[in-house]
Amino acid sequence: MSIRNLVDFGDMSRADWEAIYSRCCDIMDHPSDYIDACKGKVACNLFYEPSTRTNFSFQAAMLRLGGTVFGFADPSSSSTAKGEKLKDTVKMVSSYADVIVMRSAREGAAKAASLYSDVPVINAGDGGHMHPTQTMADLTTITRLRGSVDDLSIGLCGDLKYGRTVHSLVKALAKFRKIKFYLISPRELSIPEYLRAFMREHGMWNVEVTGLESVIPQLDALYMTRIQRERFADPREYERNKGVYILTRRKLDRAKKNLLVMHPLPRVDEIAMDVDDDPRAAYFQQARFGMFVRMALLSDLANQARFSPPPVEIGRGPVCRNPNCITREDLYLPPLTKMQGDTKCCAYCDKAIFSDEN
Ligand code: NCD
């Protein structure tokens, strides 16, 4: 594998992904061959935001590989509560651990950490931006249960504005062929503009709709998501949109017999409990696949040699207007930008530099 950090699924080539997937399958089929794959290695889990699956599955993955884990799931018990900057926490922790797994409410936080870390950094979710290891769980689920990801019609339903798992999945699926996207959301929770531009640039077929039932019969996979309450600046926006999509067994009557019903979890009310026993419900398997694919990733990244990254410029202010961008808080970060088509974007959170979209 040729990657050092996993910040965005776009950092990987399709060949990188296929190498991880094939190792993941080998781990699932021969787990005893991997019990020492990370022997003597230590992961640090820095979880600045709540998590059950991602934190636990990374811990379980490292333990099953013979490694160990330390870290926190509550930043109020760390020096962050005393005002320590991300750069210092990362510099220090990377001198103790062999790999850092990080979740933050700030968009671009993992990218920022990767600039200072002597060991690989894995993005376990950065605000409403990206969540590449959930995407690995999603792709593993589709490939293992359907044979391939190419040529599928995929419905993404719910909060497409703030749902980072959706954003990562869209980025990843640019690497596959003939995907059709049905983007199902209320208008005010539609996909961010930078991803619309990304899909245009990559010639990805997609249609945006507000109704779920009319498109269900077309789909090979239906990816339900929770309305991301914690990301709404205006609580009234959440109140207007909560409970907007509820998948029930009755609604599945018109779906394909081999549909995959997926969800990154946790669910609130968007999938009724009576769907759990339908053979098309794949979300609990999806969570288990997530652990195996994280094992495949850790077995590579935790075994890489440590080295100090080259020094970076000291910034003087935020890179973009996104109020949740890491550069709004950590003003010393270098002013990194990138082009998305013709638009100049923040290299941390992907938002257009001069845009008011947030
Ligand atoms: C997701 C997340 O944290 O973005 N959960 C997860 O990692 N499995 C989805 C969510 O919180 O809705």
Side-chain angles (χ1 to χ4, degrees):
M1 212 165 63
S2 59
I3 60 165
R4 171 74 178 170
N5 303 294
L6 180 64
V7 169
D8 184 322
F9 201 95
D11 299 341
M12 283 195 300
S13 65
R14 180 153 173 179
D16 287 330
W17 162 245
E18 273 161 13
I20 292 177
Y21 179 70
S22 95
R23 185 174 301 181
C24 171
C25 291
D26 200 46
I27 292 171
M28 290 194 275
D29 298 337
H30 309 103
S32 57
D33 290 357
Y34 289 84
I35 51 175
D36 285 335
C38 283
K39 192 169 175 195
K41 299 294 173 186
V42 179
C44 176
N45 282 13
L46 296 178
F47 276 65
Y48 293 89
E49 253 199 339
S51 169
T52 308
R53 262 151 303 278
T54 309
N55 193 356
F56 285 169
S57 69
F58 265 112
Q59 291 189 37
M62 197 57 177
L63 296 174
R64 282 171 183 267
L65 294 167
T68 47
V69 187
F70 71 97
F72 58 76
D74 174 9
S76 64
S77 64
S78 79
S79 283
T80 308
K82 300 182 188 168
E84 185 171 67
K85 293 281 179 271
L86 178 67
K87 174 183 177 181
D88 292 353
T89 308
V90 166
K91 274 251 128 299
M92 194 237 357
V93 154
S94 79
S95 67
Y96 303 154
D98 299 293
V99 62
I100 295 176
V101 179
M102 185 176 155
R103 168 169 287 194
S104 168
R106 288 281 179 185
E107 303 186 0
K111 164 86 183 168
S114 73
L115 300 175
Y116 305 107
S117 176
D118 295 348
V119 299
V121 173
I122 300 174
N123 183 3
D126 59 332
H129 182 223
M130 291 288 153
H131 192 351
T133 65
Q134 178 60 46
T135 301
M136 290 183 169
D138 304 340
L139 296 178
T140 302
T141 307
I142 299 173
T143 318
R144 232 5 215 200
L145 301 182
R146 289 296 300 260
S148 160
V149 179
D150 292 320
D151 245 327
L152 297 183
S153 292
I154 301 181
L156 301 173
C157 178
D159 186 347
L160 309 189
K161 179 176 179 184
Y162 297 117
R164 57 191 171 196
T165 62
V166 165
H167 305 162
S168 274
L169 192 55
V170 168
K171 279 263 180 103
L173 289 176
K175 300 184 190 304
F176 293 83
R177 281 185 297 109
K178 296 207 229 150
I179 306 286
K180 286 188 171 172
F181 271 127
Y182 292 84
L183 303 169
I184 309 152
S185 74
R187 264 183 250 289
E188 60 182 336
L189 298 184
S190 66
I191 198 117
E193 192 47 47
Y194 78 89
L195 281 171
R196 235 178 244 123
F198 176 87
M199 288 193 285
R200 254 194 321 273
E201 202 190 330
H202 289 82
M204 297 164 79
W205 189 100
N206 68 89
V207 49
E208 298 192 42
V209 297
T210 51
L212 169 61
E213 282 175 71
S214 58
V215 299
I216 279 188
Q218 261 76 266
L219 305 177
D220 298 303
L222 171 57
Y223 195 95
M224 297 296 294
T225 63
R226 161 180 86 84
I227 308 294
Q228 307 275 302
R229 178 184 206 150
E230 68 279 22
R231 311 232 181 269
F232 286 81
D234 178 356
R236 282 169 307 180
E237 195 188 4
Y238 173 73
E239 288 301 320
R240 275 198 303 276
N241 289 296
K242 70 175 187 193
V244 61
Y245 300 111
I246 298 181
L247 183 67
T248 58
R249 199 134 180 178
R250 191 192 56 73
K251 289 186 190 160
L252 283 174
D253 284 349
R254 293 174 56 238
K256 290 186 184 170
K257 292 282 163 275
N258 61 352
L259 172 74
L260 288 179
V261 179
M262 300 173 66
H263 193 307
L265 302 176
R267 84 174 129 183
V268 180
D269 55 4
E270 53 283 344
I271 301 183
M273 296 276 175
D274 67 358
V275 176
D276 296 358
D277 299 323
D278 188 297
R280 291 169 286 190
Y283 30 94
F284 292 118
Q285 271 170 293
Q286 190 180 348
R288 184 161 165 81
F289 287 137
M291 177 185 70
F292 289 115
V293 78
R294 289 178 174 113
M295 287 173 76
L297 181 67
L298 285 171
S299 67
D300 183 303
L301 297 191
N303 281 302
Q304 290 192 10
R306 72 172 41 244
F307 64 79
S308 299
V312 290
E313 184 184 340
I314 296 180
R316 285 199 215 94
V319 175
C320 69
R321 294 190 194 169
N322 172 7
N324 293 323
C325 180
I326 185 72
T327 65
R328 298 291 289 250
E329 189 171 273
D330 290 36
L331 302 178
Y332 56 83
L333 290 169
L336 303 180
T337 60
K338 62 183 179 190
M339 294 305 288
Q340 180 71 62
D342 295 336
T343 311
K344 194 173 179 189
C345 296
C346 172
Y348 297 88
C349 72
D350 278 313
K351 298 275 163 63
I353 296 287
F354 298 110
S355 155
D356 282 329
E357 186 203 13
N358 59 55

